[in-house]
Amino acid sequence: MSVMKRLSMIFKSKANKALDKMEDPRETLDYSYQRQLELLQKVRRGVADVATSRKRVELQINGLEQQSRRYEEQGRKALSVGREDLAREALQRRSNLQTQMADLRTQHDNLQAEEEKLTTASQRLQAKVDAFRTKKETIKATYTAAEAQTRINEAFSGISEEMGDVGLAIQRAEDKTAQMQARAGAIDELLASGALDDYSGTRGDDIQAELDRMGGGMDVELELARMKAELGQGPAPQGAIEPGQQPPQAQPQQQPQQQSQTQQLRQPGEGA
Amino acid sequence: MIIRIMGEGQVQISPDDIAVLNELDSELESAIEADNEADFRVKLHALLDKVRHVGKALPDDSLEPSELILPPADASIEEVREMLGDQGLIPG
């Protein structure tokens, strides 16, 4: 049997089971309406949960962007005082942060899509619940067993199917949000432990750092060459300007001699 | 005939369009049986696109049961298999 038919049969059998439980159809209507209101509350909570997760990811992205800019600035300062090794380290860390940011942006887009879907489902369900309430009261007011049964079944099947659909949407959103929250929590822990935002200057896993360097090395070299060109210490690299960036000659020159000594990058191994 | 696309809502389909939808539905079923996720995705989207194209959306406050129901566009082959199983994913 086809996918479409099998799915609709599953929905129908669930609706029929619910109908069979009730002796008085009017009770069925009232019970069903209560369940619809409960589901509406759950959907609204679901939308709020997803929105909260999305905002949290947004805050994390902003935090990482700030730190990324800080590393770039540190790299620039390090170069201006002739410390290429420190500049390289700062740019390496910035490259690692950008990988994390790309991952978070993907999560953010997924959460936003989920939020929009749930908002639409919530509006649809609200309209159906309102329609059901009107129909329910009409049926109850004019109730005679034989004539009302068909209308009750129709109304009940329609709303039951919608509830199944929206219920599944909520279930899926909860699963996805739980995964996202776990990953966002992991980022928080990394930030808290300093693995992502290493103010202490201590090195983490040297092997991993070396692997990361191999991965992000090319970008770092290009960035380093670009900064050198800005500071007049070398020729501009070919293709080193990132999309959206100004060419070096269009950016204001740094004034290293005017920078406070206290802003200089700490040496590796120094305390916070 | 009314078809529900899960997560999107219901559409009214003319009887003339049912034949082509059944054909696409059979292809989707074959992809599920063959356990081919990539093919499944292509077939599912082809079927959903066709339904959206030939169907007319029902208003949000209509209370009609659907004759046919389709999985959501972002469902995985595993999710659809579970939906079609005895336990089913569908709450209620």
Side-chain angles (χ1 to χ4, degrees):
Chain A
M1 196 193 290
S2 80
V3 175
M4 299 193 284
K5 286 199 182 88
R6 276 155 70 191
L7 261 182
S8 59
M9 278 180 66
I10 289 165
F11 272 92
K12 277 195 184 86
S13 74
K14 284 186 183 283
N16 289 340
K17 263 186 212 164
L19 275 169
D20 290 346
K21 281 181 193 165
M22 300 292 171
E23 285 179 13
D24 182 344
R26 286 170 295 184
E27 277 179 25
T28 312
L29 295 174
D30 284 333
Y31 169 74
S32 172
Y33 183 63
Q34 285 310 313
R35 286 206 47 218
Q36 289 161 37
L37 294 178
E38 283 165 22
L39 181 59
L40 258 177
Q41 283 300 320
K42 201 177 170 191
V43 174
R44 289 191 185 120
R45 274 200 305 273
V47 174
D49 286 349
V50 175
T52 304
S53 295
R54 176 182 53 79
K55 282 175 188 153
R56 183 182 177 188
V57 171
E58 267 172 29
L59 287 172
Q60 287 184 326
I61 291 171
N62 292 342
L64 293 183
E65 273 173 349
Q66 277 177 7
Q67 182 58 25
S68 176
R69 281 196 293 273
R70 208 173 295 137
Y71 280 142
E72 186 180 0
E73 200 51 45
Q74 285 177 337
R76 206 182 302 279
K77 282 178 194 163
L79 263 189
S80 72
V81 296
R83 288 294 308 273
E84 189 170 316
D85 59 323
L86 284 180
R88 193 182 299 276
E89 178 64 26
L91 292 176
Q92 181 62 59
R93 290 185 192 177
R94 176 172 170 260
S95 171
N96 295 345
L97 282 191
Q98 282 172 329
T99 308
Q100 294 291 345
M101 281 193 286
D103 185 37
L104 282 176
R105 284 196 185 100
T106 305
Q107 282 192 48
H108 178 267
D109 292 349
N110 288 342
L111 284 169
Q112 199 156 33
E114 216 55 50
E115 192 181 341
E116 282 164 14
K117 266 193 282 186
L118 282 185
T119 305
T120 307
S122 167
Q123 288 164 347
R124 218 176 54 216
L125 185 63
Q126 177 70 66
K128 283 222 181 344
V129 170
D130 291 345
F132 183 87
R133 189 186 56 226
T134 308
K135 207 159 189 167
K136 164 176 94 84
E137 291 310 319
T138 310
I139 292 169
K140 280 170 73 178
T142 61
Y143 182 79
T144 60
E147 116 190 22
Q149 192 64 55
T150 311
R151 293 163 64 204
I152 288 170
N153 286 1
E154 273 176 17
F156 187 87
S157 300
I159 195 75
S160 167
E161 181 189 305
E162 184 69 29
M163 284 169 72
D165 185 2
V166 172
L168 182 65
I170 275 286
Q171 206 170 293
R172 296 172 90 227
E174 280 172 353
D175 291 349
K176 286 182 188 177
T177 307
Q179 285 172 12
M180 302 272 185
Q181 281 177 332
R183 294 175 70 185
I187 296 269
D188 279 343
E189 279 177 32
L190 286 169
L191 284 165
S193 71
L196 275 182
D197 186 357
D198 196 350
Y199 290 112
S200 67
T202 52
R203 302 288 177 104
D205 179 347
D206 283 347
I207 297 170
Q208 189 56 48
E210 189 59 38
L211 286 171
D212 290 345
R213 235 173 244 121
M214 286 165 72
M218 195 61 195
D219 287 346
V220 171
E221 291 302 327
L222 283 172
E223 192 67 9
L224 205 55
R226 190 179 65 78
M227 281 188 181
K228 279 182 172 179
E230 273 182 48
L231 293 162
Q233 294 179 9
Q238 295 302 307
I241 313 276
E242 291 172 23
Q245 272 191 320
Q246 294 284 319
Q249 61 271 26
Q251 293 181 350
Q253 284 288 317
Q254 291 286 319
Q255 300 294 326
Q257 64 276 21
Q258 291 179 2
Q259 286 162 359
S260 157
Q261 289 296 311
T262 57
Q263 289 181 310
Q264 286 186 12
L265 193 68
R266 285 190 307 276
Q267 299 281 341
E270 281 183 5
Chain B
M1 170 181 283
I2 294 168
I3 297 186
R4 171 181 295 276
I5 300 175
M6 292 177 72
E8 290 181 40
Q10 294 169 292
V11 287
Q12 182 84 46
I13 302 284
S14 147
D16 304 342
D17 295 311
I18 297 297
V20 69
L21 294 178
N22 277 333
E23 211 171 290
L24 292 168
D25 188 26
S26 299
E27 289 175 20
L28 174 66
E29 198 178 14
S30 303
I32 294 170
E33 279 166 12
D35 199 21
N36 183 335
E37 179 84 41
D39 193 33
F40 160 81
R41 190 133 310 283
V42 171
K43 301 299 185 201
L44 175 61
H45 283 207
L47 178 54
L48 294 177
D49 287 346
K50 190 72 186 172
V51 170
R52 290 185 198 113
H53 180 69
V54 300
K56 183 176 174 292
L58 254 64
D60 282 350
D61 59 357
S62 68
L63 274 174
E64 310 284 337
S66 310
E67 279 182 67
L68 298 170
I69 294 178
L70 281 167
D74 61 347
S76 66
I77 195 166
E78 197 48 49
E79 270 185 311
V80 172
R81 219 184 259 112
E82 281 184 56
M83 281 180 205
L84 297 171
D86 287 341
Q87 297 305 308
L89 274 181
I90 298 120

